[in-house]
Amino acid sequence: MSKSLLHPRHWASWLAVLILRIIALLPFKVKMLAGGAFGRFGYRFFKRRRHITATNIALCFPQKSAAEQTQLVKDIFVSNGIGFFEIAWAWWANPESLRKRFTVHGLDVLKKATENGQGVLLIGGHYTHLDLAGLMVNLVADMDVIYRKNNDAVFEHVITEGRKRVFKNVLERSDMREIIRKLRDGRVVWFSPDQDHGIKNSVFAPFFDIPAATVTSASKLMKLGKAKPVFVAHKRDLDTNHYHITFAVPEAEFPSGDDVTDASIINQMIEHAIRQQPDQYMWVHRRFKTRPPGEPSVY
């Protein structure tokens, strides 16, 4: 660790890390209850995020009544609050302690994709328990992960070191050459292409019937990395204190050779998973931040 991270300007970040470390040590049920309470606190006081979430839900679930939409927004904040506690858990958890916490569906799909030594691009979405699910998937499929560098130097150090403790390779998303190299080496690489990164290297494809800027990286990585696609989705069941991981492949040809078609397939697969448990997706992000030419901001 660089000595510069001990400078007083980083002390607030280290205090936050200490709090997260304490959270990670809490019993499972306490984490879930405290996370839910934190989410309800966020719904009340994080007005900007509440507005973004409510806008997303109104756009994507217009068939729901106003009361149903409001309840879903509240449920989303609770799920995100739990997800915050799950993130802390994931950074320091012993992966082996998670084996009895999850069930895998469609593992044969992933095994078939990897049986000839070909690389696999594991395409997922930003569900609230993303980091924790990554640990679980790694227990059944040795994989690498792609990440975005954190703007805070302390959190970048803690998060990256935590991931390196578990995953063989932790790949920065801008390092396309290294990602392609790992795919060609036959590695399973997890990639989540469902956030709005602007118009550059993106196309507009329907997501809940709304044009959404969707990166074309997945198609490029599969082509250049000579990899197969497998989709992964995950959800938590608080009634049973259990998580479910599902692997699947698209019914349509993918990649198809057309960026818009491929982006549409990705969005459709992620949308299908979201509809199974809509409160567990990260709706707090501006998924529709980038609009087609001439269209005003929805936020």
Side-chain angles (χ1 to χ4, degrees), residues 59 196 198-200 202-207 209-214 260 267 286-299:
L59 289 169
D196 189 331
I199 194 60
K200 186 178 180 181
S202 296
V203 294
F204 285 101
F207 184 63
D209 297 323
I210 301 166
T214 308
V260 175
N267 287 349
R286 293 184 296 164
R287 182 62 186 91
F288 307 106
K289 175 179 61 177
T290 304
R291 306 307 306 133
E295 290 195 14
S297 171
V298 298
Y299 301 108

Side-chain angles (χ1 to χ4, degrees), residues 23-299:
I23 288 173
L25 296 173
L26 296 174
F28 176 81
K29 289 186 178 180
V30 175
K31 281 196 281 280
M32 298 301 104
L33 291 171
F38 180 66
R40 286 186 284 274
F41 172 88
Y43 175 82
R44 183 174 180 181
F45 293 103
F46 300 162
K47 295 182 179 180
R48 173 62 176 161
R49 290 296 172 184
R50 188 175 69 204
H51 169 72
I52 291 170
T53 304
T55 301
N56 286 334
I57 295 307
L59 289 169
C60 296
F61 296 92
Q63 72 280 6
K64 290 184 178 293
S65 67
E68 288 173 331
Q69 290 182 12
T70 298
Q71 185 58 54
L72 179 53
V73 172
K74 291 179 179 179
D75 292 343
I76 288 166
F77 269 82
V78 168
S79 186
N80 274 269
I82 293 172
F84 176 77
F85 279 58
E86 287 167 326
I87 288 172
W89 186 14
W91 289 353
W92 289 285
N94 174 6
E96 289 297 327
S97 69
L98 302 175
R99 283 196 182 274
K100 294 183 179 181
R101 286 282 180 200
F102 69 98
T103 299
V104 178
H105 309 273
L107 184 58
D108 57 316
V109 171
L110 182 59
K111 288 184 175 180
K112 183 177 180 181
T114 59
E115 62 187 7
N116 64 352
Q118 191 172 356
V120 170
L121 190 67
L122 197 59
I123 303 172
H126 282 79
Y127 309 101
T128 58
H129 31 70
L130 177 60
D131 286 70
L132 191 62
L135 270 63
M136 295 174 180
V137 171
N138 196 55
L139 288 170
V140 299
D142 180 26
M143 69 173 190
D144 303 332
V145 293
I146 298 173
Y147 80 105
R148 180 181 68 84
K149 189 174 182 179
N150 196 286
N151 294 328
D152 185 286
V154 171
F155 277 92
E156 169 63 16
H157 170 75
V158 172
I159 296 170
T160 302
E161 289 304 310
R163 288 170 175 164
K164 286 180 177 179
R165 178 177 57 84
V166 176
F167 303 106
K168 185 174 182 179
N169 298 294
V170 179
L171 311 167
E172 212 284 322
R173 72 179 186 185
S174 63
D175 194 354
M176 296 293 283
R177 288 186 178 182
E178 187 61 20
I179 296 170
I180 292 168
R181 186 177 295 114
K182 296 306 178 188
L183 288 171
R184 289 193 173 187
D185 287 343
R187 298 289 298 165
V188 176
V189 180
W190 186 315
F191 179 47
S192 298
D194 61 320
Q195 290 190 322
D196 189 331
H197 294 294
I199 194 60
K200 186 178 180 181
N201 299 319
S202 296
V203 294
F204 285 101
F207 184 63
F208 285 84
D209 297 323
I210 301 166
T214 308
V215 294
T216 59
S217 311
S219 300
K220 292 182 173 63
L221 288 172
M222 281 184 286
K223 180 180 179 180
L224 297 174
K226 300 179 180 179
K228 291 183 178 180
V230 173
F231 286 84
V232 60
H234 38 94
K235 62 181 180 179
R236 81 171 75 82
D237 184 346
L238 290 181
D239 291 333
T240 59
N241 295 331
H242 208 69
Y243 296 79
H244 294 268
I245 312 290
T246 302
F247 298 107
V249 292
E251 295 181 2
E253 180 183 358
F254 182 73
S256 66
D258 179 79
D259 286 342
V260 175
T261 299
D262 291 348
S264 298
I265 291 172
I266 289 173
N267 287 349
Q268 288 167 10
M269 294 291 289
I270 294 173
E271 178 182 332
H272 174 74
I274 292 170
R275 289 187 182 277
Q276 311 305 308
Q277 196 74 49
D279 62 302
Q280 294 183 19
Y281 186 66
M282 289 187 185
W283 293 109
V284 296
H285 291 162
R286 293 184 296 164
R287 182 62 186 91
F288 307 106
K289 175 179 61 177
T290 304
R291 306 307 306 133
E295 290 195 14
S297 171
V298 298
Y299 301 108

